[in-house]
């Protein structure tokens, strides 16, 4: 499998050999225009039902409109969100609690645990 990669103002993402998409968000304030462009770039590169590990530890902020949009317009079938103990934990918890995404999602502080969980989700559908 050829490794696919994208880069946007929000994040860099690559599809691993096992099909899981690993994205790392930059230290940015997420707005709806950049989010929509990132989702479209992801859709074109990886399709509409990917399994994502999303590292959001560097994010500065995410506007409410962007959180709502992502919850219902994502290209993720499941997403393991890697957070730190600071701001990204708050963002992640707000996203999961109030926006109730249309896809399976869970917060992790460990990349290894995030990978194990996303592989379980992937296996459930295979």
């Amino acid at each position: 499998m050829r490794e696919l990669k994208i880069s946007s103002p929000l994040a860099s993402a690559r599809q691993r050999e096992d099909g899981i998409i690993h994205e790392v968000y930059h230290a940015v304030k997420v707005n709806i225009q950049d989010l929509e462009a990132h989702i479209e770039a992801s859709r074109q590169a990886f399709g509409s039902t990917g399994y994502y590990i999303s590292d959001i530890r560097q994010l500065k902020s995410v506007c409410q409109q962007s959180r709502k949009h992502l919850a219902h317009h994502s290209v993720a079938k499941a997403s393991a969100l890697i957070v730190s103990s600071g701001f990204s934990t708050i963002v992640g918890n707000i996203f999961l609690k109030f926006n109730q995404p249309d896809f399976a999602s869970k917060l992790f502080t460990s990349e290894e645990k995030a990978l194990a969980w996303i592989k379980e989700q992937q296996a459930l559908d295979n």
Side-chain angles (χ1 to χ4, degrees):
M1 173 185 273
R2 190 177 122 249
E3 185 178 78
L4 297 173
K5 295 180 182 181
I6 65 163
S7 186
S8 76
L10 295 185
S12 297
R14 67 178 178 86
Q15 187 169 32
R16 299 160 30 112
E17 287 190 20
D18 57 11
I20 293 169
I21 297 127
H22 185 260
E23 60 184 359
V24 177
Y25 280 79
H26 308 303
V28 296
K29 295 179 179 180
V30 177
N31 63 58
I32 189 67
Q33 294 83 10
D34 287 344
L35 178 63
E36 287 175 336
H38 180 73
I39 290 171
E40 185 54 33
S42 296
R43 179 179 286 109
Q44 289 180 14
F46 310 124
S48 297
T49 57
Y51 293 87
Y52 282 75
I53 295 177
S54 300
D55 185 338
I56 64 169
R57 291 178 282 196
Q58 296 181 49
L59 277 181
K60 289 185 178 181
S61 67
V62 181
C63 72
Q64 182 180 13
Q65 184 182 16
S66 293
R67 288 191 308 269
K68 286 182 179 180
H69 183 80
L70 181 60
H72 305 293
H73 297 92
S74 176
V75 291
K77 180 94 175 198
S79 182
L81 301 166
I82 302 172
V83 298
S84 62
S85 59
F87 176 74
S88 60
T89 301
I90 295 167
V91 170
N93 281 322
I94 289 171
F95 175 70
L96 296 178
K97 183 172 183 172
F98 294 107
N99 298 113
Q100 300 177 345
D102 293 339
F103 51 92
S105 52
K106 190 171 178 178
L107 297 178
F108 297 90
T109 55
S110 160
E111 192 166 334
E112 294 77 22
K113 289 180 181 178
L115 180 58
W117 182 82
I118 204 70
K119 283 183 175 185
E120 287 175 9
Q121 299 304 304
Q122 189 180 38
L124 290 173
D125 288 332
N126 292 331

